[in-house]
Amino acid sequence: MDLLKLQESFDAKIEKGDCIEPKDWMPDDYRKTLIRQISQHAHSEIVGMLPEGNWITRAPSLRRKMVLLAKVQDEGGHGLYLYSAAETMGISRDEMIEQLHSGKAKYSSIFNYPTLTWADIGAIGWLVDGAAIMNQVMLQRTSYGPYARAMVRICKEESFHQRQGYEIMSVLAAGTHEQKAMAQDALNRWWWPSLMMFGPPDADSPHTAQSVRWKIKRETNDELRNKFVDRTVPQAEFIGLKVPDKDLKWNEAKQGYDWGKINWDEFYNVIKGNGPCNKERLEARRKAHENGAWVREAAAAYAAKQQQKAAA
Amino acid sequence: MSNNQGILWEVFVQTKPGLPHKHCGSVHAPDKEMAIQNARDVYTRRSEGTSIWVVPAEAITASSPEDMGAFFEPANDKVYRHPTFYHVPEGVKYL
Amino acid sequence: MEKALFNYLLRLADSSLIIGHRLSEWCGHGPVLEEDIALTNIALDFVGRANALYEYAGKVEGKGRTEDDLAYLRNERDFFNNLLAEQPNGDYAQTILRQYLTDAFEIHFYEALSTSKDETLAGIAAKSLKEIQYHLRHSSSWMLRLGDGTEESNRRLQNALNEIYRFTGSLFETDENDSVLIAAGIVPDLSAIQQQWQKDVDAMLEKAMLKKPENVWMQKGNLQGKHTEHLGYILAEMQSLHRALPGVKW
């Protein structure tokens, strides 16, 4: 088949809403965009284990400790599903990890903020997972089959993540003066970075339009962000916490909230590496990888020896 | 070598005794014993499984999309392979 | 009798919690993603078991202490976990070895405990036994891979063995509680279990091409709450938040 025909059949599939599968022909840019997006998503899950992992050993009750362990482990699992989905496009996990460690590949900039108190674990579950879920629910219908299937699995597993975060926050908010202050402080610090998670405004988002055309994305950054604000503000009010935005008010006409301005300067700086924890996060990942090198080598050597024995 | 993540394995999980094993994802592992343990740890964390298969990804041969017409469309007009093709007088049982 | 059972339950619960804590330190830092996930599964089993044992201990004691009271509000000298559990993760070889030595003990211990005349304890043991079978499978697989992998992995595993073998005696320490509870058919006799453990461990060390350290002076004292210096730091970290805001709900 010539290129034109292949392109036509690809376009027709996208138009019809069929999934693209690994062996299907696809335009180079579609492949590149997806590899970038899926690996970035995978890296976010893996780096995202660190800020929450920071509190596993200090979780204030055994129940909270188990929940947090299970949750951080899930993030690892989700990273794994996503790396696998990206691998179907012909890139290896080694290459992706290499790109993360060299700084070539990005991950969600939210994970460059520190978890200072226990309430941050609540805020991350509630806000960060909440924001991620909006994106992920949409991605269950993304046009690339393996990505969509990974997202279905991830969404199913993530459903407890946001709840456990909100539960932590609501217990704190209903607790002592100190606990409530801790919860409010966490909301103050995580609110704006959570809104940034949806990415730059549509007008400045270089990839959004094409991604929507390819049905990789089904909703734009701003649409998702507004939906998130509309859903989350009442949740904060319900437990007596105040969203740190003085411009926030209900707009009856549009049946949604009007709200303040995101500090995009901060966003771009954190992406560039100037966030509070960029250095620590990458360092931790590199260290785990390097310290694990001899373990992986040993396992490979053992496997090779066993194969030789079996062949002999 | 120091980057070695191990071989890629495809994982098939049976969710209940009697059901077929269904593809659910992949894992990396250096050998089959570790592959099956990794698959257990990754894909049955919520008691999703009663049995697991792992297969080296490179051992799988797949039909290619170009063959779709030739492979599968000829079956479309063979309606007589399906039980609803046949008329059975009303009231006849166990058929 | 209640007092003896309470102390014995603490011994088991503390050992589970402390090694679970150590394993949880790996979460997000494992040598390969699959292994990170596997270790966390094991950590979860241990913390879950500790939770069940503390809960039961609180009931046996009858003073209204909860599982969290027992985990978070006791000091170093009141913890009775075996000394092996609190040893640092070190490199991956040390973690795997510590785990294997523990699993090889627990597989026999919890099997015997699952026939305890105390039904609650027998129930906890039976559930744990299934988990332990998997733990042992996991740690044994890695013992072989590291022992018979590369020169470096063998050397690291041997170093770990030389370093922490002296804490294995503490797995089998007994005190006056043991005789009371053994007589009542509630807990097994550890000396029989030690023999089984030694046989398994010797066989594994040979298969993994390791040399058993000789003339080792075993470190003991955990049943009197005498630990290595590591435990204090574990508790300082684990209990800090819980103690900072006493009596609140989490």
Side-chain angles (χ1 to χ4, degrees):
Chain A
M1 270 202 262
D2 60 49
L3 207 58
L4 200 68
K5 276 215 181 110
L6 288 168
Q7 177 75 48
E8 269 171 18
S9 115
F10 173 85
D11 291 343
K13 269 192 198 149
I14 294 283
E15 179 63 28
K16 227 175 100 191
D18 282 354
C19 275
I20 306 299
E21 293 296 336
K23 293 187 95 180
D24 289 341
W25 182 90
M26 60 190 90
D28 262 357
D29 282 344
Y30 178 83
R31 185 185 298 273
K32 271 189 206 141
T33 302
L34 269 169
I35 287 180
R36 197 192 62 239
Q37 183 175 330
I38 301 174
S39 66
Q40 194 169 314
H41 196 160
H43 297 326
S44 301
E45 299 279 358
I46 300 304
V47 177
M49 296 170 81
L50 299 170
E52 288 182 282
N54 184 31
W55 279 89
I56 289 172
T57 54
R58 292 176 291 169
S61 73
L62 293 177
R63 176 172 179 265
R64 292 283 176 218
K65 190 190 280 291
M66 289 188 275
V67 170
L68 184 57
L69 256 174
K71 190 202 170 222
V72 178
Q73 183 201 40
D74 271 352
E75 314 292 2
H78 299 169
L80 195 154
Y81 308 158
L82 289 161
Y83 281 132
S84 304
E87 281 176 280
T88 63
M89 307 202 88
I91 184 169
S92 73
R93 195 197 285 179
D94 281 326
E95 283 173 81
M96 289 185 270
I97 291 176
E98 169 58 34
Q99 289 174 355
L100 172 69
H101 293 177
S102 71
K104 189 182 162 218
K106 301 287 179 215
Y107 55 88
S108 181
S109 62
I110 191 90
F111 300 117
N112 291 316
Y113 291 87
T115 48
L116 301 178
T117 73
W118 171 249
D120 291 23
I121 300 308
I124 288 184
W126 173 34
L127 302 173
V128 176
D129 287 286
I133 288 166
M134 312 235 31
N135 211 10
Q136 289 166 351
V137 164
M138 163 191 84
L139 287 171
Q140 292 181 96
R141 297 177 295 126
T142 192
S143 58
Y144 186 57
Y147 192 22
R149 290 192 284 275
M151 286 329 294
V152 168
R153 198 175 179 94
I154 290 173
C155 284
K156 214 162 87 190
E157 298 187 352
E158 287 255 349
S159 55
F160 93 82
H161 293 186
Q162 194 185 12
R163 278 182 181 217
Q164 65 88 32
Y166 190 65
E167 189 189 80
I168 290 175
M169 290 302 259
S170 51
V171 169
L172 291 174
T176 62
H177 174 71
E178 278 158 305
Q179 283 178 301
K180 186 164 184 182
M182 197 193 268
Q184 183 62 53
D185 168 60
L187 173 57
N188 293 349
R189 282 181 289 111
W190 290 93
W191 175 256
W192 290 105
S194 299
L195 295 185
M196 293 176 198
M197 277 177 71
F198 295 95
D202 295 346
D204 305 329
S205 176
H207 309 297
T208 291
Q210 181 57 270
S211 283
V212 170
R213 263 199 300 284
W214 276 332
K215 295 187 180 161
I216 294 176
K217 278 179 143 182
R218 318 287 300 225
E219 286 166 274
T220 70
N221 297 352
D222 287 333
E223 284 164 2
L224 287 170
R225 188 165 17 238
N226 284 322
K227 215 194 247 185
F228 176 75
V229 172
D230 288 347
R231 287 188 186 179
T232 311
V233 170
Q235 293 168 355
E237 283 168 354
F238 191 84
I239 54 175
L241 295 179
K242 198 175 167 333
V243 171
D245 180 352
K246 60 179 176 10
D247 299 318
L248 183 77
K249 65 171 185 294
W250 179 252
N251 181 330
E252 189 61 32
K254 75 168 187 191
Q255 287 294 301
Y257 285 92
D258 292 328
W259 48 277
K261 280 205 169 54
I262 290 177
N263 181 351
W264 290 112
D265 217 24
E266 175 181 324
F267 174 74
Y268 288 114
N269 261 294
V270 176
I271 287 186
K272 245 192 280 169
N274 297 330
C277 299
N278 295 58
K279 209 168 156 282
E280 287 88 339
R281 300 291 184 244
L282 266 190
E283 202 48 49
R285 284 316 312 158
R286 277 194 208 115
K287 210 176 124 198
H289 188 69
E290 282 161 21
N291 289 346
W294 69 269
V295 180
R296 298 191 298 274
E297 276 166 25
Y302 178 84
K305 282 187 206 173
Q306 293 304 109
Q307 240 172 9
Q308 259 172 8
K309 269 187 212 162
Chain B
M1 191 70 164
S2 71
N3 283 328
N4 191 358
Q5 296 281 318
I7 306 163
L8 187 66
W9 304 74
E10 297 303 330
V11 180
F12 299 79
V13 172
Q14 181 192 49
T15 51
K16 272 187 205 141
L19 291 182
H21 288 66
K22 216 171 127 186
H23 182 246
C24 71
S26 335
V27 289
H28 284 258
D31 55 49
K32 57 188 178 185
E33 195 184 333
M34 295 310 295
I36 205 122
Q37 291 182 29
N38 290 348
R40 177 265 188 194
D41 280 313
V42 172
Y43 290 104
T44 64
R45 302 200 300 286
R46 289 169 167 79
S47 39
E48 295 99 328
T50 48
S51 163
I52 304 176
W53 293 347
V54 290
V55 181
E58 61 169 25
I60 293 179
T61 309
S63 63
S64 48
E66 300 90 74
D67 295 336
M68 201 152 101
F71 268 44
F72 308 113
E73 274 168 30
N76 286 351
D77 63 355
K78 299 190 174 55
V79 281
Y80 44 80
R81 288 192 196 275
H82 299 276
T84 47
F85 177 73
Y86 301 93
H87 296 286
V88 173
E90 232 169 280
V92 177
K93 286 181 184 170
Y94 310 120
L95 204 64
Chain C
M1 177 78 128
E2 269 76 32
K3 180 77 184 141
L5 179 58
F6 174 69
N7 284 337
Y8 203 94
L9 287 169
L10 284 185
R11 190 199 295 183
L12 303 185
D14 291 346
S15 293
S16 302
L17 178 63
I18 297 302
I19 200 166
H21 178 99
R22 281 300 192 208
L23 289 172
S24 79
E25 293 173 349
W26 274 108
C27 186
H29 306 275
V32 65
L33 190 46
E34 281 79 358
E35 199 49 24
D36 206 306
I37 293 169
L39 273 185
T40 309
N41 274 341
I42 298 171
L44 274 168
D45 287 343
F46 276 102
V47 180
R49 190 203 302 163
N51 192 68
L53 287 165
Y54 282 133
E55 205 184 317
Y56 184 42
K59 263 191 212 135
V60 168
E61 189 193 31
K63 290 183 185 164
R65 285 207 272 181
T66 66
E67 61 275 21
D68 285 337
D69 292 339
L70 292 170
Y72 287 91
L73 298 174
R74 284 179 304 132
N75 294 325
E76 292 90 320
R77 299 281 280 110
D78 303 319
F79 264 74
F80 305 115
N81 60 277
N82 70 67
L83 302 177
L84 188 60
E86 68 203 40
Q87 297 312 305
N89 287 338
D91 60 9
Y92 205 62
Q94 181 153 321
T95 296
I96 287 298
L97 179 71
R98 185 187 62 203
Q99 200 55 44
Y100 170 72
L101 295 170
T102 303
D103 298 340
F105 160 70
E106 289 196 337
I107 193 91
H108 297 299
F109 176 76
Y110 278 91
E111 185 174 9
L113 197 65
S114 67
T115 61
S116 168
K117 288 206 172 124
D118 182 309
E119 274 179 28
T120 310
L121 194 51
I124 295 174
K127 178 173 179 290
S128 300
L129 186 59
K130 287 191 192 133
E131 298 168 349
I132 294 161
Q133 285 162 352
Y134 190 78
H135 302 168
L136 180 62
R137 182 178 165 144
H138 174 265
S139 60
S140 300
S141 302
W142 277 105
M143 284 293 289
L144 296 177
R145 277 154 188 78
L146 298 184
D148 190 13
T150 61
E151 235 170 82
E152 179 182 8
S153 66
N154 179 276
R155 174 171 50 76
R156 284 175 181 266
L157 197 54
Q158 183 67 54
N159 286 347
L161 186 63
N162 300 343
E163 183 59 33
I164 64 175
Y165 195 70
R166 65 199 163 110
F167 299 110
T168 55
S170 128
L171 292 167
F172 305 101
E173 220 181 323
T174 56
D175 61 12
E176 65 284 358
N177 294 314
D178 286 72
S179 38
V180 179
L181 296 168
I182 291 171
I186 293 177
V187 305
D189 184 347
L190 287 181
S191 56
I193 290 179
Q194 182 159 18
Q195 282 176 15
Q196 294 170 300
W197 176 85
Q198 193 68 63
K199 205 171 130 241
D200 290 356
V201 169
D202 288 350
M204 172 56 87
L205 294 186
E206 199 183 313
K207 269 200 277 184
M209 306 192 187
L210 298 168
K211 254 180 59 205
K212 188 162 103 176
E214 278 170 32
N215 303 320
V216 176
W217 178 256
M218 287 295 169
Q219 300 297 317
K220 292 190 176 182
N222 53 301
L223 297 188
Q224 296 91 51
K226 289 192 279 189
H227 291 271
T228 59
E229 289 179 347
H230 304 295
L231 183 69
Y233 290 95
I234 292 179
L235 296 184
E237 185 174 346
M238 186 172 80
Q239 299 177 337
S240 60
L241 174 61
H242 187 95
R243 285 182 186 250
L245 300 176
V248 307
K249 262 186 74 179
W250 295 105

